[in-house]
Amino acid sequence: MRHAGNFVGHAIPALFFLGYGTFATILAFLRLRRGYFFQYGAVEQNLPLLRMQAIVVGIACIAGLAVECGSGAMAGLGCGFNALHETLYSAFLVASAGALLESGRFLPTDTHKWCSALALGVEHLLFITHADMFAEPEATMHRVLADIAVLGAFAAVASAAKPVFLPTHIAWVVLFIAQGLWLFYIGFIIYDPFVDPFHSSVRTTQLPTRQQVVIHACAGLLALTMAVLLMSAACMRAHVKASDIRQEEGAEQRACLVTKP
């Protein structure tokens, strides 16, 4: 089997997912700590922030399209050689356009989540079929990536349908981090980035078995879930503590007003 990929080809989309997922996850934890979710649910009320996210994601997608198209053309294979990656960037470019229109009040609230679910669904279809091009264990690696994408799509739909249920919103943004980490996993396992990261430098060492790949994926998701649970608990505890302090201060002020002659 001939390998047409390379480490950089996996690292670029991995950084794309990691960047957005990390930002959105930190924002979710900050809002949980400050009690934002308890007032508005997971509905995005900060339209300027949503607009900024849409612009940044859109620019990243356009840059990704330019790199994929340019690399294929420079290799003499045509702009469509990297069609899978180009379609992936196009899907998230459409999602960023939906978010941008929502930020301008041209579309209803949480449209960006439905668009994100569509993009993640497209990603699932792309990688579930892309897996058929490989032998094991690479096929399983790409199927796991497709499964993570479809989990993110379901989480996005659930968060948009019931924004008061916070776990689905947090799952949606954290699964972007999971995708980025898994793409790095594929890149490091299959290719040797220290030999030639820009070309197909496939490792000559023995690859993990199909079962080992699945175990690695499950272990990673469980570890990520535990980290999210602990961080959520810490933020929730800080919010409850701050609320208790505010209630005590309010009670003291009311007591002073009552006893004041």
Side-chain angles (χ1 to χ4, degrees):
M1 181 184 60
R2 185 177 69 87
H3 285 260
N6 54 57
F7 176 77
V8 172
H10 290 78
I12 291 175
L15 289 172
F16 173 81
F17 286 121
L18 272 176
Y20 178 77
T22 301
F23 170 80
T25 301
I26 292 173
L27 179 65
F29 284 135
L30 288 174
R31 287 178 167 177
L32 179 61
R33 182 185 178 91
R34 296 169 183 172
Y36 175 94
F37 288 140
F38 300 101
Q39 290 180 299
Y40 305 107
V43 176
E44 183 57 68
Q45 300 288 336
N46 191 338
L47 296 183
L49 178 62
L50 180 62
R51 185 178 302 111
M52 182 196 73
Q53 293 181 64
I55 292 172
V56 171
V57 171
I59 292 173
C61 290
I62 293 172
L65 281 168
V67 169
E68 297 291 350
C69 184
S71 61
M74 290 176 64
L77 300 171
C79 283
F81 177 71
N82 297 317
L84 184 141
H85 286 180
E86 291 168 8
T87 306
L88 178 63
Y89 284 123
S90 298
F92 283 98
L93 182 60
V94 170
S96 68
L100 188 62
L101 291 170
E102 180 186 340
S103 70
R105 300 184 185 275
F106 294 104
L107 292 173
T109 300
D110 270 353
T111 295
H112 69 285
K113 290 182 182 178
W114 295 101
C115 292
S116 175
L118 174 63
L120 290 165
V122 169
E123 182 189 353
H124 169 76
L125 291 175
L126 290 173
F127 282 109
I128 205 71
T129 53
H130 188 52
D132 296 335
M133 299 172 56
F134 299 101
E136 295 295 351
E138 291 172 83
T140 299
M141 292 179 183
H142 287 83
R143 290 191 189 101
V144 168
L145 183 63
D147 290 341
I148 297 173
V150 80
L151 283 175
F154 282 127
V157 169
S159 178
K162 194 172 183 180
V164 294
F165 189 63
L166 302 182
T168 54
H169 175 79
I170 294 176
W172 169 53
V173 295
V174 169
L175 284 170
F176 281 108
I177 297 178
Q179 285 197 69
L181 293 175
W182 191 250
L183 277 167
F184 270 123
Y185 171 87
I186 296 175
F188 274 111
I189 292 295
I190 303 300
Y191 306 101
D192 191 343
F194 304 105
V195 174
D196 191 350
F198 293 94
H199 295 87
S200 184
S201 53
V202 181
R203 290 185 184 274
T204 57
T205 55
Q206 184 177 3
L207 296 175
T209 64
R210 183 171 181 264
Q211 186 179 44
Q212 287 174 328
V213 169
V214 173
I215 291 172
H216 294 165
C218 292
L221 284 173
L222 289 172
L224 194 60
T225 301
M226 181 57 67
V228 170
L229 288 174
L230 292 174
M231 292 180 68
S232 298
C235 293
M236 185 70 180
R237 178 60 182 167
H239 168 70
V240 171
K241 188 175 181 179
S243 298
D244 291 342
I245 293 173
R246 286 194 295 269
Q247 289 178 2
E248 290 176 1
E249 291 175 347
E252 290 176 358
Q253 290 176 358
R254 288 192 297 270
C256 290
L257 291 174
V258 171
T259 58
K260 187 176 180 180

